[in-house]
Amino acid sequence: MEPSLASYLALSGILFAIGATGVIFKRNAIGMFMCIELMLNAVNLTFVAFSRYYSDVTGQLFVFMVMSVAAAEAAVGLGIIIAFFRNRVSVDVDDASILKN
Amino acid sequence: MAGTVLFFVFAGFAIACALSTVYHRNPLYSAVSLIGVFISLSCIYVTLAAPFIAAVQILIYAGAIMVLVIFVIMLLNLDEEKPYRRLNYLYALGGFLGIVLLAQTFFVFVAVNKTPKHTVAQDETVGKTLSIGANMYTEYLLPVEIVGVLLLMAIIGGVILVRRLNQPELELVVHNESEKRHFEQ
Amino acid sequence: MTEILKTAFPFIVWTVGVLIAFQMVLMIVAYTVLAERKVLGWIQGRIGPNRVGPWGLLQPFADLFKFIFKEDLVPDKSTKFIYFLAPLVALTCALLPMVVYPFGPNLTDPLSWLVPYVKDISYLGDATAWIAEQAKNMPLTIARIDVGVLFVLGITSVGVYGIALAGWSSNNKYSLMGGLRSSAQMISYELAMGAAVIGVVMLAGTLDLNGIIFAQIRSPFRWYIIPQFIGFIVFLIAAFAETNRVPFDLPEAETELVAGFHTEYSALKFALFFMAEYVNMFTVSVMCVTLFLGGWYVPGLSHIFEVGSIPYAVVSHLAFIGKICAFLFLYIWIRGTLPRFRFDQLMNFGWKFLLPLALLNVIVTIIIVYFLNVN
């Protein structure tokens, strides 16, 4: 017996909720970045679960696209974090609210 | 039966690791917990008959993205976050958002359970490398090309963002930093 | 009774197989350590360890007992949980790829020799026919999965956490520098390694390691090292960098960093790192042999023994182990010969030379495969 589609969706929803809450709770840019990755993964899980239950490969292809976008996001996001750290010696997003030096 | 047991084991592990990601203030602990989430999700993909996606999940998320994150954490030598000094309404907002999303999840769970089961003949080739590759380079060629261009843009953007500062800029940063430390003492 | 036997038999066979495989790999790894010390000794005009047992053959066990009984020091200011986690991650990730190693060819009837002995035992009598049926086409692989190459690459790339986390959690500047260097090195050389594998995967048309070997047997060249020579060279160099071996052993450069990421590790935890390094060497040797040297395939062996018979499998398996040992020897030889890179040289070499070369190889292979398929 396999678990039903609903349980996969529930797991995905819980992970997404945790990630969304984390993005707001974290002050650390890297922490926020990781929570966003968590949300992306929660969505990937729904894609794969639907792909399994409708026996259609499209969902898995979308997961692949999401992963590529996440990789691009990691490269640019971490670049921004490093550039920001060089200027402010901090990765705290609250410090990013000032436009001038 | 075995599928259900595996699902609950890995789902529990994933949720515990996700909670620990949000809970820990030390970014390295968060990162290690997040790797746990990725690996347990990969195991769930295996039970969902998607071996290719499971392997790519490990390769890209656990093997590339999180290594970069940990590398940055180590490079910047980040320590624990300072005690929260944010406005309280943000916590209220975050908690509210979490509760709404959980309620929505519960609603989806109940609604999907109620709907009559939609059975499709299981096609065992779905999820194998061959079917994914064949679809990727025929029906979904345009998205693949776009993703390729996006990755190229990310490479260029990353290089430009973290390029070495020239000497006057570097001296300015060092100067600002030393003044800040002096001021804090 | 028969029912129980029928249910349990596959598990028993599989468990025994897995245990034998693990035992064999760990023994080879243990003796690689001894061989390294011996060969290095000969290269440097010394004798090498020769006190424990005949010709020092029991040295690995002596080392093991020493590691077990040493005092286990934990630095006071370390991050305890991650400090304990790191060696486990390193060794687990090193051992996991063993699941997909192609140890040998398929056996069509491996247990036929067992039938005459078992037939007289009453409670096994009914099961023999069934056993013979089940054992047909038994591959000498623990798990034959569709994405073997990706699995190995993924698990080995997870292995970098062991080193990075060890460096971070020891709370020691040498460890941190070692961990940083190692993560940078592994990220850089993984790309070249993956790009080198793509050529082979395109020629073979599969990601399954056994499938790649069968594709090589079908191909006119027999071994992919001939059409993919550039890929082989890139893969070999990247493999040296991935396993942190000389000339890429910057993460643990003794003269600069004390001992690198494992400076603060002692006793059994250090032994785990040490073992992980050698198991990783074994893994990349297996990948080299499987992807480029035809794995267990010996050209012309099918004329001597029947394909699928036990002698055929044994000789093929021994050939597989022999090829791996040749690679392990190459590792030791290079360690005795070459000096170490400087860190900027390492990065320049990886990004400006190795990766473009691997990409060029991919492009050329794409063109060749395209024209082969057109005709």
Side-chain angles (χ1 to χ4, degrees), chain C residues 159-176:
Chain C
V160 68
Y161 291 120
I163 294 171
L165 293 179
W168 187 84
S169 64
S170 303
N171 207 1
N172 172 323
K173 61 188 167 196
Y174 299 118
S175 301
L176 187 66

Side-chain angles (χ1 to χ4, degrees), chain C residues 111-122:
Chain C
L111 291 176
S112 55
W113 53 273
L114 198 67
V115 174
Y117 302 103
V118 184
K119 202 158 49 183
D120 298 336
I121 307 169
S122 59

Side-chain angles (χ1 to χ4, degrees), chain B residues 26 28-29 32 35 39 51-52 55-56 58-59 61-63 66-68 70-71 73-75 77-78 128-130, chain C residues 79-82 85 146-147 150-151 153-155 157-158 160-161 164-165 168 176 179-180 183-184 187 190 207:
Chain B
N26 189 328
L28 201 88
Y29 277 140
V32 172
I35 295 162
I39 290 175
F52 182 79
V56 170
I58 295 272
L59 195 64
Y61 272 118
M66 290 315 287
V67 171
L68 268 184
I70 286 194
F71 186 70
I73 292 172
M74 283 166 63
L75 191 71
N77 210 359
L78 299 178
K128 291 275 162 63
T129 320
L130 197 65
Chain C
T79 316
K80 292 289 180 309
F81 176 67
I82 293 183
L85 188 70
D146 187 39
V147 287
L150 285 184
F151 180 79
L153 287 181
I155 298 292
S157 66
V158 172
V160 68
Y161 291 120
L165 293 179
W168 187 84
L176 187 66
L180 269 177
S183 353
I187 296 169
E190 232 159 53
L207 286 170

